[in-house]
Amino acid sequence: MAEVKKQERDFTPEVDALLPESESLSKSGRLSEALDKLFALEKQTRNASDLASTTRLAKAALDQCYEARDYAQLNVTITLLSKKHGQLKGVVQSIVEKAIAWLPEIRQRQGEAKWLELVETLRAVTEGKIFLETPRARVTLVLSHYHESLSQQPPAKPPVVKESLQTASDLLSDLQVETYSSMERREKTEFILEQMRLLIALARLKDAEVAGKDRKDGKSAIAGGEPEWVKARVGGRKVNETFLKEKENEDLKLKFYDLMIQQALHQTAYLEVAKHYEKVWDTPSIKDDESKSRAALEHIVYYVVLAPHNNEQSDMLHHWFVNPALEKLELHYNLVKSFVTRELMRWPGIESIYGSFLQTTPVFSNAKQWEDLHTRVIEHNIRVVSEYYTRIALSRLTTLLDLTPQQTEETLARLVVSKAIWARIDRPAGVVNFTPKRSAEDVMNDWSSDMQKLLGLVEKTWMGMNAALAAQSRIKA
């Protein structure tokens, strides 16, 4: 592209005279002759840096090709005009934007073959040009949706579906829209969300493909859709969550957190899922809809309960326990209360009270997540036991947890490794010790503290006795 130069001459009169003439030639079937006349004058206007006249001539050439339904010539003309020596940037931008506006009509009228030719022409013209990065992104998005639609056609076979989705995802993933200065923030966010959506769809397809095969060869998970999951996670970090809080961007916010929930569920990061549902619940449009608000609140409870215990999970659990909104959901409130209260929860009792309802929900109808809930109940019970017992017989602990001895040991080991509790198992004696071994320094510190408390009590008692003796002496006097 040529640098911006000062206009040397105004060709408006010549252009005004030529356009009607070339249009009449085109309508009479002499399109090539009409284009030759336009190109001859276009060269003069381009060399004179007359942007307005060059743009008019370029658009006229495209219009005449389009009206003549000569789409091959239209593609050639677009390519030719964009590659002219010293072509002005404004001219190339104008012809690209004009051609993009024709894409829906050409697809409807002439079919996908002619439409694809024009799309590929536009992508070739815009490649590598920073000032055309936004139009290129828009054309690429349309092409990506076309390839995705191929994967959704009924007769499509699995290899075709995978290839089409892979192509659609690769086309969008090649666009680094977060660096585009000419694109608005909302449009950038829409592109990033589309990239994430296609990556997740492709990842699920690859995961299903790997899961369906015989894995005797010991292939690792990276053979599935793990690379796409990683790319989707990276894409999520490009989205500005503060921007999503604006009222006009609520639709993008809900779409973003839906994708993030899918991402977190793949990683079994239940606490992250609960946080995302909390953001969804905090959206005004969701709060205004009672059914959607209730569904979001239920999912927050489910996933915060499923999350492994740590300080963050405990804080979130207690925060929702005192939230007035949760009191309206009696069953869910009682479920949270069971985990907040430092009392044992016997799994058969939990299963009889909540099982019939929870297992009908989309969350706990999944056998893995129902088993995870069982695990969280056991872990809660062990934490409660560790607070009330310093030592307990393994047989008694097994009875309290409603587990086998082996399951009890495995659960204890997992909690000890995660540093949720401190415990040691004396297998010969069949005893679990929840009190850590204390160093000599700790013992001395405790002894010193106890002695200070004792001396304080002695001093307080002595002062009380002196006060009583003084009062008696005054009475006798």
Side-chain angles (χ1 to χ4, degrees):
M1 297 297 104
E3 296 180 2
V4 178
K5 297 188 295 184
K6 185 178 179 181
Q7 183 174 336
E8 298 175 3
R9 181 184 167 188
D10 186 0
F11 282 86
T12 302
E14 288 86 344
V15 173
D16 290 340
L18 179 61
L19 288 181
E21 180 185 350
S22 66
E23 188 175 351
S24 63
L25 287 172
S26 174
K27 289 181 178 179
S28 64
R30 299 156 65 185
L31 179 60
S32 298
E33 189 176 341
L35 292 176
D36 288 341
K37 288 181 176 292
L38 290 173
F39 289 155
L41 183 56
E42 184 271 339
K43 181 178 180 180
Q44 298 178 47
T45 60
R46 172 165 37 88
N47 290 334
S49 299
D50 186 354
L51 176 60
S53 298
T54 309
T55 303
R56 289 178 64 193
L57 290 169
K59 285 185 175 181
L62 263 62
D63 282 332
Q64 290 174 17
C65 293
Y66 181 70
E67 290 170 3
R69 302 291 181 262
D70 192 340
Y71 297 106
Q73 185 61 51
L74 176 63
N75 293 326
V76 171
T77 303
I78 292 172
T79 305
L80 183 64
L81 287 171
S82 67
K83 291 185 177 180
K84 290 279 189 180
H85 176 70
Q87 187 59 277
L88 305 171
K89 290 182 180 179
V91 175
V92 181
Q93 286 176 327
S94 298
I95 62 176
V96 167
E97 288 171 1
K98 192 172 189 64
I100 289 175
W102 286 332
L103 284 174
E105 187 177 348
I106 291 176
R107 187 175 189 178
Q108 183 178 4
R109 181 186 298 172
Q110 301 295 327
E112 291 177 344
K114 298 292 183 184
W115 176 81
L116 278 173
E117 290 176 5
L118 180 56
V119 167
E120 292 300 337
T121 299
L122 291 172
R123 279 175 47 80
V125 166
T126 56
E127 185 176 6
K129 297 180 176 66
I130 295 178
F131 65 96
L132 292 175
E133 58 190 8
T134 299
R136 177 178 175 80
R138 291 168 182 161
V139 172
T140 303
L141 179 63
V142 173
L143 183 60
S144 175
H145 286 165
Y146 164 74
H147 284 287
E148 183 187 10
S149 67
L150 294 180
S151 68
Q152 297 171 349
Q153 293 178 357
K157 297 180 180 179
V160 176
V161 172
K162 181 181 176 182
E163 184 181 354
S164 300
L165 262 183
Q166 184 75 61
T167 304
S169 178
D170 290 346
L171 283 169
L172 272 193
S173 296
D174 288 342
L175 301 174
Q176 305 299 323
V177 292
E178 64 275 10
T179 65
Y180 292 1
S181 58
S182 58
M183 186 179 286
E184 294 182 0
R185 290 181 70 183
R186 180 179 174 86
E187 191 174 5
K188 283 183 185 180
T189 306
E190 289 173 346
F191 269 93
I192 293 171
L193 295 182
E194 276 298 291
Q195 289 174 347
M196 292 174 63
R197 184 183 66 81
L198 286 173
L199 284 168
I200 289 175
L202 181 60
R204 289 187 184 281
L205 184 66
K206 288 186 175 181
D207 287 344
E209 186 180 53
V210 170
K213 289 181 179 179
D214 184 7
R215 302 190 65 182
K216 290 180 181 178
D217 55 355
K219 286 185 178 180
S220 62
I222 201 69
E226 195 59 31
E228 282 73 23
W229 286 113
V230 173
K231 290 178 184 177
R233 186 162 64 252
V234 172
R237 295 172 187 162
K238 298 176 183 177
V239 177
N240 188 334
E241 295 187 45
T242 305
F243 174 69
L244 297 178
K245 292 179 181 178
E246 298 175 7
K247 186 172 180 59
E248 59 272 16
N249 298 324
E250 281 189 9
D251 57 329
L252 297 181
K253 178 182 178 181
L254 296 176
K255 184 176 180 181
F256 170 71
Y257 285 115
D258 177 58
L259 295 171
M260 293 304 291
I261 286 167
Q262 295 180 49
Q263 173 73 35
L265 282 175
H266 170 72
Q267 299 176 289
T268 324
Y270 294 132
L271 188 59
E272 292 301 313
V273 178
K275 290 179 182 176
H276 297 324
Y277 270 114
E278 189 174 25
K279 296 289 180 64
V280 171
W281 179 81
D282 201 33
T283 306
S285 61
I286 298 297
K287 281 190 172 181
D288 293 340
D289 189 321
E290 186 176 351
S291 62
K292 291 181 179 179
S293 175
R294 180 187 176 91
L297 190 54
E298 288 176 354
H299 281 82
I300 293 171
V301 171
Y302 296 152
Y303 287 110
V304 76
V305 164
L306 281 172
H309 177 80
N310 55 36
N311 290 337
E312 193 175 8
Q313 186 267 354
S314 180
D315 287 345
M316 190 173 183
L317 191 66
H318 283 79
H319 165 74
W320 279 103
F321 178 62
V322 297
N323 194 312
L326 187 60
E327 294 179 4
K328 299 176 184 178
L329 307 179
E330 183 179 356
L331 186 140
H332 300 80
Y333 175 81
N334 290 333
L335 179 62
V336 172
K337 184 179 180 180
S338 300
F339 280 91
V340 169
T341 307
R342 296 181 181 278
E343 295 179 0
L344 290 176
M345 293 190 290
R346 302 297 291 269
W347 176 246
I350 293 294
E351 199 169 17
S352 63
I353 296 171
Y354 302 104
S356 59
F357 173 77
L358 291 180
Q359 288 187 301
T360 60
T361 63
V363 176
F364 292 107
S365 58
N366 185 319
K368 181 183 182 302
Q369 289 167 346
W370 181 250
E371 185 56 35
D372 286 342
L373 178 63
H374 186 194
T375 303
R376 300 297 168 255
V377 170
I378 295 168
E379 292 173 352
H380 168 84
N381 290 339
I382 291 177
R383 288 194 302 273
V384 171
V385 169
S386 69
E387 290 180 6
Y388 290 103
Y389 288 84
T390 55
R391 299 170 73 245
I392 186 172
L394 185 59
S395 58
R396 174 61 176 160
L397 182 60
T398 300
T399 304
L400 292 175
L401 299 180
D402 299 298
L403 296 174
T404 64
Q406 183 179 354
Q407 289 174 327
T408 302
E409 289 188 13
E410 289 175 355
T411 307
L412 273 172
R414 186 172 63 252
L415 290 177
V416 169
V417 170
S418 65
K419 298 183 179 180
I421 62 168
W422 191 98
R424 292 293 183 269
I425 302 176
D426 185 347
R427 279 185 169 173
V431 174
V432 180
N433 187 359
F434 292 108
T435 305
K437 186 177 180 180
R438 303 168 68 196
S439 64
E441 185 179 355
D442 291 336
V443 173
M444 288 301 297
N445 286 337
D446 287 348
W447 179 84
S448 174
S449 176
D450 291 343
M451 288 301 297
Q452 287 178 357
K453 290 179 182 178
L454 177 61
L455 291 174
L457 290 172
V458 169
E459 184 178 3
K460 188 175 180 180
T461 305
W462 177 77
M463 291 176 65
M465 290 175 63
N466 282 343
L469 290 172
Q472 288 180 2
S473 63
R474 283 197 297 270
I475 292 171
K476 290 178 180 180

